[in-house]
Amino acid sequence: MRFTNPKVVGWLEEWTALMQPERSVMVDASAAMREQLIATLVELGTIKALNPQLRPGSYLASSDPRDVARLESRTIICSEREADAGPTNNWRAPSEMREMMRKLYEGCMRGRTMYIIPFSMGEVGSPFAIYGIEITDSAYVALSMLTMATIDDRVRAAIDADGVFVPAVHSVGYPLVGREDVAWPCNPEDTYIAHFPETREIWSYGSGYGGNALLGKKCLALRIASVAARDEGWLAEHMLILKLTSPRNEVYYVAGAFPSACGKTNLAMLVPTRPGWRAETVGDDIAWLRRGPDGRLWAVNPEMGFFGVAPGTSVKTNPVAMETVARNTIFTNCALTADGDVWWEGMTKEPPEGLTDWQGRPYTGEGPAAHPNARFTVSIEESPNIAPERDGVPISAILFGGRRSTLVPLVTEARSWEHGVFLGSIMASETTAAAEGAVGRVRRDPFAMLPFCGYNMGDYFGHWLSMAETDPQALPRIYLVNWFRRGADGGFVWPGYGENVRVLSWIIDRLEGRAAGSETPLGLIPKPEDFEVEGLDLSENWFDLLFSMDKEELIAEVDLIREHYARFAEHLPKQLAAQFNEFEESVHR
Ligand SMILES: Nc1nc2c(ncn2[C@@H]2O[C@H](COP(=O)(O)OP(=O)(O)OP(=O)(O)O)[C@@H](O)[C@H]2O)c(=O)[nH]1
Ligand SMILES: O=C([O-])CC(=O)C(=O)O
Ligand SMILES: [Mn+2]
């Protein structure tokens, strides 16, 4: 079915004229559409069918080695005023960016098919859903969007009825003029992922990789949605949502913001190791949160699929993910086994014989066989453990986490909402392969939103504080967590994964007033006697290894946070400056 609304038709005509595709296809959720996209991609060599006996309905995509992660240096917030993008975003004037990118888009789809994808982030018909139309010349993107977003006739009809949608333009930037197509067309030199917050538009060019190209996800549901959320009084966050049932049969919903490749999907798929606990997934990457009539913060997962990190996933660490990707999954940049299945580092101890690496070469044992940011794309319907709640759950606790080899304890509790916002605003984490650049460097990543906030992050801190203007008691409690402390041997001290339920169990005890805590400069830590470690293989001094804070390092951290805060200048809320002063005093006390 085609659009009839003049606004939509006009927009499509304008872009068709500029990009000059050879043909266009309206993407729907039919099985025939999926098959057609798959056939196109198989023929081009972008994806290969895996062995149907081992991995039914599944495919392996291999990207251009230059197009494997989000490109933060090319991700740009084009607000009218530079101050509205803030010190942490790349900024370009919208008119300048439009002019430059229009030149790139000119004729960029020649010889190609333009896929028109009307999609919804959030449940169709819900007042909280945001509709978009992505136009793309990538069948891989179209196929992935079918999994990650809600695509059905109701969305198309709703957009056609009122002409309200987020326009999302994408091209791989590889027109077929005087050349043949390649398996993974892209254009790394000219890649840009531009956002126009005032007009709520997304323009992406040159990359086919997930966060750069599946525009409903990070671009719409975080960068554009964060701006809408600021204006409308809600929160668009880089958070998992977990449903937890305690041995007492009480249900709690926990949200958690961890930077890319720092454990959201794994915590969302937690298999508790402690008796009587049950966990189910509500969402694994993005949460939209609003105050309900009861004053509580209610969260939805606007996505319909998982775009998860493959390396490190195994039957031992994440059996739910392994079951989820057992079929009907698109893998990207994993290694291929001799019998036509996928493999990645951490799936088994040793790589199997006869492996082909992610770039299609026989694996020699040098370097990783799968790219460290290899991914799986799969519908939430494939999960054996998805919670039925789709239209909002009340959050009891918010976790902020990251990778810190030292200093940050396994868990601390914020003293108040304001203190929790302080802890979120000073979060730092070691960088990962999910974005371009060096891995393992500590950088400030407030609220795990550094690459995803669509406006000035100082104002974003203020927006978080404003949530407590009414009825602060009804808001969730805030916790800092760190699964990644390392011991003298360089290994992780905490076993993590399913054992993280022990941390959640202490958090629930705190919420229910059953556990005490001890004050530290970063909040309340457990009393050793309240923290269950029975059955774990930890050394005598486990409590110190997991919870102690080195004074020298804390003092150094104060200076780093001062520098971090200074960047926001007059956009830093006064309450946070006061929190910082209190923090500094407590460090020196
Ligand atoms: N040691 C340890 N590693 C973990 C834990 N949880 C996750 N990881 C590893 O961290 C990596 C990333 O985990 P994910 O759960 O995919 O991270 P994510 O936050 O969902 O990442 P994005 O999807 O990029 O946003 C994987 O290699 C995991 O195996 C944990 O509790 N302990
Ligand atoms: O957005 C992406 O490309 C992958 C992802 O989930 C992240 O990096 O956080
Ligand atoms: Mn994830």
Side-chain angles (χ1 to χ4, degrees):
M1 253 193 298
R2 294 269 145 179
F3 284 104
T4 58
N5 186 301
K7 254 181 83 180
V8 185
V9 173
W11 178 73
L12 286 171
E13 281 174 357
E14 181 195 329
W15 282 96
T16 305
L18 183 64
M19 302 196 291
Q20 303 162 37
E22 197 163 293
R23 63 193 87 77
S24 71
V25 168
M26 182 75 68
V27 173
D28 60 43
S30 66
M33 177 63 60
R34 197 180 145 83
E35 278 159 31
Q36 181 196 321
L37 290 168
I38 287 173
T40 304
L41 288 165
V42 169
E43 194 185 338
L44 190 61
T46 315
I47 64 174
K48 272 192 193 67
L50 294 170
N51 183 335
Q53 251 88 52
L54 302 174
R55 205 65 72 168
S58 301
Y59 298 84
L60 175 61
S62 312
S63 83
D64 184 301
R66 299 167 300 171
D67 194 19
V68 293
R70 280 182 299 101
L71 274 178
E72 295 183 0
S73 63
R74 298 303 187 99
T75 300
I76 300 164
I77 301 297
C78 306
S79 45
E80 291 292 340
R81 300 184 326 144
E82 184 169 5
D84 290 333
T88 59
N89 281 313
N90 301 309
W91 176 82
R92 293 281 270 277
S95 55
E96 192 188 303
M97 195 70 191
R98 284 182 200 276
E99 196 187 313
M100 190 263 279
M101 286 189 77
R102 264 204 201 95
K103 287 196 192 112
L104 295 175
Y105 282 126
E106 201 179 328
C108 70
M109 289 193 186
R110 272 192 266 164
R112 295 192 172 282
T113 302
M114 177 169 89
Y115 297 96
I116 305 166
I117 315 166
F119 67 94
S120 173
M121 299 310 289
E123 291 292 284
V124 180
S126 138
F128 307 133
I130 301 182
Y131 300 153
I133 303 177
E134 176 161 355
I135 48 181
T136 177
D137 51 11
S138 164
Y140 171 85
V141 167
L143 182 63
S144 304
M145 283 293 287
L146 274 176
T147 302
M148 298 305 297
T150 302
I151 293 170
D152 69 27
D153 254 2
R154 291 173 304 162
V155 180
R156 197 205 49 80
I159 293 173
D160 208 30
D162 59 15
V164 178
F165 64 102
V166 173
V169 179
H170 173 255
S171 171
V172 293
Y174 196 93
L176 300 178
V177 186
R179 60 180 170 187
E180 291 291 299
D181 209 351
V182 293
W184 187 278
C186 61
N187 188 340
E189 291 78 44
D190 283 326
T191 294
Y192 295 98
I193 303 102
H195 306 72
F196 301 92
E198 282 94 0
T199 52
R200 314 256 156 103
E201 292 168 273
I202 303 159
W203 290 14
S204 169
Y205 186 89
S207 166
Y209 170 79
N212 304 328
L214 315 180
L215 302 185
K217 194 175 176 56
K218 299 303 207 289
C219 299
L220 189 158
L222 289 178
R223 297 196 194 94
I224 296 292
S226 64
V227 173
R230 173 200 62 192
D231 294 347
E232 297 161 9
W234 51 283
L235 299 168
E237 299 299 325
H238 191 204
M239 286 180 180
L240 71 107
I241 309 166
L242 177 70
K243 175 181 180 181
L244 198 61
T245 308
S246 76
R248 300 171 195 227
N249 236 4
E250 293 151 328
V251 173
Y252 301 88
Y253 299 95
V254 174
F258 311 157
S260 299
C262 292
K264 288 182 300 300
T265 300
N266 275 270
L267 190 63
M269 296 182 178
L270 176 84
V271 179
T273 52
R274 302 296 296 155
W277 289 90
R278 208 174 146 221
E280 292 155 86
T281 310
V282 178
D284 86 318
D285 197 50
I286 296 174
W288 288 350
L289 306 109
R290 291 164 202 271
R291 300 297 293 268
D294 57 359
R296 299 187 73 184
L297 207 48
W298 289 70
V300 299
N301 165 21
E303 297 193 281
M304 286 307 283
F306 305 117
F307 182 59
V309 177
T313 310
S314 72
V315 180
K316 247 183 94 188
T317 59
N318 192 343
V320 172
M322 291 305 282
E323 174 58 26
T324 306
V325 304
R327 63 200 78 73
N328 301 332
T329 302
I330 309 293
F331 297 90
T332 303
N333 292 340
C334 298
L336 182 67
T337 66
D339 53 3
D341 198 2
V342 280
W343 189 85
W344 49 74
E345 275 63 28
M347 183 197 272
T348 53
K349 247 203 164 103
E350 297 298 329
E353 288 293 313
L355 209 53
T356 303
D357 79 4
W358 66 279
Q359 294 183 78
R361 299 172 304 207
Y363 183 56
T364 60
E366 288 271 316
H371 188 276
N373 193 37
R375 296 261 168 179
F376 54 78
T377 310
V378 63
S379 164
I380 60 173
E381 278 155 32
E382 297 294 341
S383 164
N385 206 33
I386 197 85
E389 295 90 330
R390 281 293 303 171
D391 48 8
V393 295
I395 300 297
S396 297
I398 292 176
L399 319 185
F400 292 131
R403 286 177 185 265
R404 294 296 298 268
S405 309
T406 58
L407 190 68
V408 177
L410 179 62
V411 57
T412 79
E413 183 185 87
R415 290 185 289 273
S416 62
W417 181 263
E418 198 174 293
H419 184 233
V421 173
F422 170 71
L423 294 180
S425 75
I426 64 162
M427 264 171 75
S429 190
E430 289 145 25
T431 48
T432 67
E436 97 259 39
V439 167
R441 181 175 54 85
V442 174
R443 71 166 183 182
R444 297 293 136 189
D445 188 349
F447 296 79
M449 282 289 277
L450 180 72
F452 307 117
C453 183
Y455 62 103
N456 188 310
M457 206 135 201
D459 299 342
Y460 166 90
F461 300 159
H463 182 56
W464 263 80
L465 290 169
S466 76
M467 299 305 283
E469 275 163 12
T470 55
D471 201 7
Q473 290 311 314
L475 287 169
R477 276 207 220 162
I478 296 177
Y479 296 82
L480 205 57
V481 300
N482 178 21
W483 317 143
F484 299 97
R485 276 187 58 152
R486 293 185 190 262
D489 63 353
F492 294 121
V493 178
W494 180 245
Y497 301 105
E499 302 294 3
N500 291 332
V501 70
R502 295 172 190 260
V503 172
L504 295 168
S505 163
W506 179 75
I507 289 173
I508 304 294
D509 283 345
R510 285 289 306 159
L511 296 176
E512 298 295 352
R514 295 193 287 256
S518 324
E519 282 289 347
T520 79
L522 287 173
L524 234 66
I525 59 170
K527 301 263 186 215
E529 61 272 23
D530 288 334
F531 196 81
E532 186 57 75
V533 290
E534 187 210 307
L536 292 183
D537 182 23
L538 295 173
S539 57
E540 278 290 303
N541 60 338
W542 66 270
F543 192 79
D544 267 0
L545 288 175
L546 290 170
F547 290 100
S548 70
M549 279 169 242
D550 180 70
K551 180 129 185 190
E552 293 290 299
E553 218 184 326
L554 266 175
I555 291 170
E557 188 81 357
V558 169
D559 291 337
L560 293 171
I561 294 168
R562 185 182 297 107
E563 268 171 46
H564 164 60
Y565 266 14
R567 300 180 71 193
F568 300 103
E570 74 279 8
H571 289 267
L572 185 78
K574 288 196 180 51
Q575 297 102 303
L576 293 189
Q579 285 286 339
F580 173 72
N581 288 339
E582 253 176 69
F583 171 65
E584 183 172 18
E585 268 166 41
S586 70
V587 167
H588 291 286
R589 208 171 287 141

